[in-house]
Amino acid sequence: MTLQAPLLLWWFVPVAAFIILLYLLKIRRRTVVVPAVFLFPQITTDVRANALWQRLRFHWLMVLQLLVALLLVMALARPAIVGRGWQGQTVVFVLDASASMNATDVKPSRFEEAKRRVEKWLNDLRPSDQVALILAATEPKVIVPLSSPNTLHSALRTQLKATDAPADVGAALRLASALVANRNNATIVLVSDGSFSQVTDFSPGSAKLVYESVGKTDLNAGFVVADVQPSTRRTTHSAQIFVALRNFSGKQLKGTLSLFADGKLSAAKEVTLQPHQVKGEIVSVPVTVRHAMLKWECSDDVLPTDDVVHFVGFGRQPIRILLVSSGNFFLERALALEPDCIVDKAPQLPETGKEGSAYDIIVFDGTKPPSPALRDQHPALLNAKSVWLIGVTDGEFVTQVGVTDQPTIAAWERDHPVLRFVDLSAVLIDKALKVKPASWAQTIADAKDTPLIVAGERAGKRWLFVGFNLLDSDFPLRVGFPIFVANALRWSIGGQRWERGFTVKAGSIVSLTVPDQQVSLRHPDGKTENIKAPEHLLTLRATEQVGVYELRSGNLRVNFAVNLLNADESDIAPKQTITLGAHTVAAQTPKLTWRDFWWLFVLLALFVLTVEWFVFVRWS
């Protein structure tokens, strides 16, 4: 406790002297005439001298009155508690939960230190103040909406943890600004180390913006680039892994780079990194290895999140497509727009003994496919996971029974994966094939007298039929055409594309087609969650933890790896200034604040006065 006006305590001396003086004055007796003195009891107390002063005697009333005077003088001296924090009617704390906040230069971690600071500052807020807590992660999360400080105390004691992914601090700040948009005397407090991408589109509005910097050192080296190249030669039984290790500090770091294959140590070497040096390393891994991990170990390194990279199935496998066509600019362009697609073109299907038997999808665009009796002579057709027939039939999946002019699409299955978000209502077609689909095929777009688009699956191979030549329609000119091609690619490959696994960066969104709508996802920490995949399309946003995930859906079981690989997060040097929108904000230290509680002494004085009155009434 601190007195803001301690000199006022001297007023207690004259006030106390005046009270004591009143008890030193003799009692002035009043002369009363009585008929006889024997009616009165004999006075046994001392007869007081007929003088101005008398001897001071102890009396509880005097003690209570002195105590009241002391309490009132203490209230005048303005007692207060000195605190450190941000005061205001409304305070929103934005807590950075990005990967860099896992650094251990502040024990036990920067994130825990940030939580401790917020909890300490809450103690200096008034019970009537409104506070909120927003967690800045890959997607901002409102942990506590505007409420009392006690509610925020409880939330901070829960298991809030930093993620292993970059944080969208800009989105979190915009959310905080929206919470206090119509409030006066509002403050937004960002608690972070400043290791995030520059925020360009943010304005605090009328709220005051405060940046609190957490962290002490820049000692960190981590992986910033990682890639794997499977061998394209059949005689080579290993893959090459390339990584780039960067020292983000101004100090030389010496450590060990280790390679683990399926959990066992395969190789290790000492690596010395000069200040701010980037060093590349190439290692070989047998293609039979299911999980490879590179680990950097250094005693001075304070951020463990970027010290490991995982590889599962040696990365995302490309889709190999063979386009058997005499030429179709629109179809070639739509296929080329899709990532990870390798498109080869040929006028005819390769025959036995020729290269090209490892295609995932074969597209027959206006070129007649081999008859069922001759398919054994074409390994490419036998090994393909999917076959598209555009303007042609094969005699088995669909059989031609005639030709129809200017058909109009009457109905289509809008919920089918191939036709999701595709509008066929205005498509004009000059002529189309009149066909009869096989019993195991499903018509997903119909004209009045013939199916126009048919899909089906048999013996693990998916078939797609379009009953008209694309150049005989305006479908390629429609907005829905590239969407149709993208949908068809995802549906054709299904989960088979991912069976060998893939690798993504932390915080990325993963989308893939799964055989079952019920999906089980096991996280690197062993936690398992069940996810629904409507229409067999799964979108994963829960990639905020570095490590290997396991996904199961029906008969599909696939592992995928998540790595940080983010230079902004690995550069953990605490930033004293950050750029938020058009303003540069400097880190601030919580200012001293005074919390008056003179009113407490006034209440105590009133209580003592009540006791004094009770004593006077009882003893008088």
Side-chain angles (χ1 to χ4, degrees):
M1 183 182 72
T2 301
L3 298 177
Q4 300 182 61
L7 293 179
L8 292 178
L9 290 177
W10 287 102
W11 278 100
F12 178 71
V13 176
V15 173
F18 178 76
I19 294 174
I20 295 174
L21 179 63
L22 293 178
Y23 281 87
L24 287 173
L25 294 174
K26 80 178 186 69
I27 302 174
R28 294 188 63 183
R29 293 180 174 87
R30 185 164 52 92
T31 302
V32 179
V33 179
V34 296
V37 294
F38 67 88
L39 297 176
F40 295 90
Q42 185 178 358
I43 300 175
T44 58
T45 58
D46 296 336
V47 178
R48 298 177 180 177
N50 192 22
L52 181 63
W53 306 102
Q54 62 177 332
R55 184 169 57 90
L56 183 64
R57 298 172 180 272
F58 177 81
H59 202 289
W60 279 110
L61 288 176
M62 181 183 66
V63 174
L64 293 175
Q65 290 164 3
L66 289 173
L67 181 58
V68 170
L70 178 62
L71 291 173
L72 292 177
V73 171
M74 285 289 293
L76 290 175
R78 295 182 61 193
I81 296 178
V82 179
R84 296 171 63 85
W86 308 108
Q87 290 192 6
Q89 296 178 359
T90 306
V91 182
V92 180
F93 293 98
V94 178
L95 189 57
D96 186 359
S98 62
S100 62
M101 295 294 285
N102 288 307
T104 58
D105 54 337
V106 182
K107 300 300 180 181
S109 70
R110 291 183 178 181
F111 187 75
E112 293 299 323
E113 169 66 13
K115 287 172 56 180
R116 187 191 66 80
R117 290 192 189 182
V118 173
E119 189 162 8
K120 182 178 179 181
W121 298 331
L122 287 174
N123 297 329
D124 296 315
L125 295 175
R126 295 183 293 268
S128 60
D129 289 339
Q130 294 284 296
V131 295
L133 176 64
I134 297 177
L135 198 67
T138 305
E139 294 181 350
K141 304 173 184 177
V142 179
I143 304 301
V144 177
L146 288 173
S147 56
S148 65
N150 289 334
T151 306
L152 193 54
H153 272 297
S154 302
L156 287 172
R157 297 188 183 103
T158 60
Q159 296 299 318
L160 291 179
K161 295 182 179 180
T163 67
D164 293 339
D168 192 346
V169 176
L173 289 172
R174 288 189 290 273
L175 179 58
S177 180
L179 285 178
V180 298
N182 299 321
R183 293 177 176 262
N184 298 322
N185 196 20
T187 303
I188 300 174
V189 182
L190 171 62
V191 190
S192 171
D193 55 7
S195 297
F196 51 82
S197 301
Q198 180 176 332
V199 178
T200 58
D201 51 348
F202 166 72
S203 174
S206 60
K208 179 182 179 181
L209 179 63
V210 176
Y211 166 48
E212 273 295 317
S213 180
V214 181
K216 294 181 178 179
T217 182
D218 62 352
L219 291 177
N220 180 53
F223 296 101
V224 293
V225 176
D227 193 17
V228 61
Q229 293 295 331
S231 175
T232 57
R233 298 181 181 180
R234 298 181 180 180
T235 57
T236 304
H237 301 285
S238 63
Q240 302 294 317
I241 294 179
F242 169 78
V243 294
L245 190 62
R246 179 178 173 182
N247 183 2
F248 290 89
S249 72
K251 177 184 176 181
Q252 175 182 290
L253 297 178
K254 182 181 292 185
T256 304
L257 182 63
S258 304
L259 171 64
F260 294 84
D262 290 333
K264 297 180 180 179
L265 180 63
S266 176
K269 63 180 293 187
E270 289 189 357
V271 176
T272 300
L273 296 174
Q274 300 302 323
H276 305 291
Q277 180 187 7
V278 180
K279 195 168 189 177
E281 297 286 343
I282 298 177
V283 295
S284 297
V285 179
V287 294
T288 55
V289 173
R290 298 179 60 86
H291 174 210
M293 179 181 73
L294 280 168
K295 186 175 184 180
W296 158 256
E297 296 175 284
C298 176
S299 59
D300 294 329
D301 193 308
V302 299
L303 181 62
T305 308
D306 60 357
D307 291 343
V308 293
V309 285
H310 301 266
F311 297 94
V312 179
F314 301 112
R316 184 180 298 203
Q317 300 301 309
I319 301 176
R320 295 200 61 191
I321 302 173
L322 176 61
L323 177 58
V324 183
S325 171
S326 58
N328 189 327
F329 170 79
F330 299 104
L331 182 58
E332 294 173 14
R333 182 62 179 171
L335 293 173
L337 289 175
E338 287 300 306
D340 301 329
C341 287
I342 300 176
V343 182
D344 293 334
K345 294 179 290 184
Q348 297 292 333
L349 188 66
E351 297 180 359
T352 304
K354 295 186 179 182
E355 291 291 333
S357 60
Y359 290 105
D360 298 302
I361 302 174
I362 297 180
V363 181
F364 291 96
D365 175 42
T367 302
K368 191 75 173 178
S371 64
L374 300 178
R375 287 177 186 172
D376 293 341
Q377 301 178 14
H378 299 273
L381 188 58
L382 292 174
N383 297 331
K385 298 179 178 65
S386 179
V387 178
W388 297 4
L389 305 174
I390 301 178
V392 293
T393 60
D394 68 331
E396 183 179 12
F397 174 50
V398 287
T399 304
Q400 182 176 353
V401 295
V403 177
T404 180
D405 293 328
Q406 297 182 347
T408 300
I409 299 178
W412 68 93
E413 297 289 340
R414 302 173 187 268
D415 295 333
H416 193 277
V418 175
L419 296 181
R420 291 183 75 242
F421 312 115
V422 179
D423 184 7
L424 300 177
S425 59
V427 174
L428 300 177
I429 304 172
D430 183 38
K431 61 180 178 179
L433 302 178
K434 186 180 293 187
V435 298
K436 179 181 179 181
S439 59
W440 48 271
Q442 176 189 1
T443 300
I444 59 176
D446 248 327
K448 292 183 179 180
D449 55 352
T450 182
L452 287 180
I453 303 178
V454 181
E457 182 175 359
R458 190 177 189 183
K461 190 189 302 291
R462 292 188 173 183
W463 295 75
L464 180 65
F465 167 74
V466 178
F468 54 91
N469 193 314
L470 297 176
L471 300 180
D472 291 335
S473 72
D474 65 348
F475 187 31
L477 303 178
R478 300 284 179 178
V479 176
F481 179 68
I483 301 176
F484 169 79
V485 174
N487 289 344
L489 285 172
R490 295 188 183 93
W491 174 82
S492 298
I493 297 300
Q496 301 176 45
R497 178 188 179 188
W498 312 99
E499 288 178 353
R500 294 187 61 186
F502 55 96
T503 303
V504 297
K505 290 185 178 182
S508 300
I509 298 176
V510 177
S511 299
L512 63 157
T513 305
V514 292
D516 195 349
Q517 295 188 16
Q518 296 296 327
V519 179
S520 173
L521 180 67
R522 184 174 62 84
H523 295 254
D525 58 2
K527 176 185 175 182
T528 302
E529 65 172 324
N530 296 319
I531 308 172
K532 289 186 178 181
E535 302 177 10
H536 305 277
L537 295 176
L538 177 66
T539 301
L540 288 179
R541 300 177 182 271
T543 58
E544 295 183 336
Q545 186 178 0
V546 168
V548 178
Y549 294 71
E550 183 183 81
L551 186 147
R552 294 189 179 188
S553 175
N555 58 359
L556 173 67
R557 177 178 177 180
V558 59
N559 294 337
F560 65 93
V562 174
N563 301 312
L564 179 58
L565 303 178
N566 188 293
D568 289 332
E569 294 296 328
S570 295
D571 186 6
I572 64 170
K575 311 300 187 298
Q576 296 306 311
T577 59
I578 56 176
T579 300
L580 299 176
H583 305 282
T584 299
V585 183
Q588 299 183 32
T589 302
K591 59 184 179 180
L592 293 178
T593 58
W594 299 88
R595 184 55 55 85
D596 292 333
F597 58 98
W598 56 266
W599 52 270
L600 180 60
F601 287 87
V602 174
L603 291 178
L604 288 175
L606 292 175
F607 174 76
V608 175
L609 279 176
T610 304
V611 174
E612 191 264 349
W613 175 83
F614 177 79
V615 172
F616 172 76
V617 171
R618 185 169 182 177
W619 287 1
S620 60

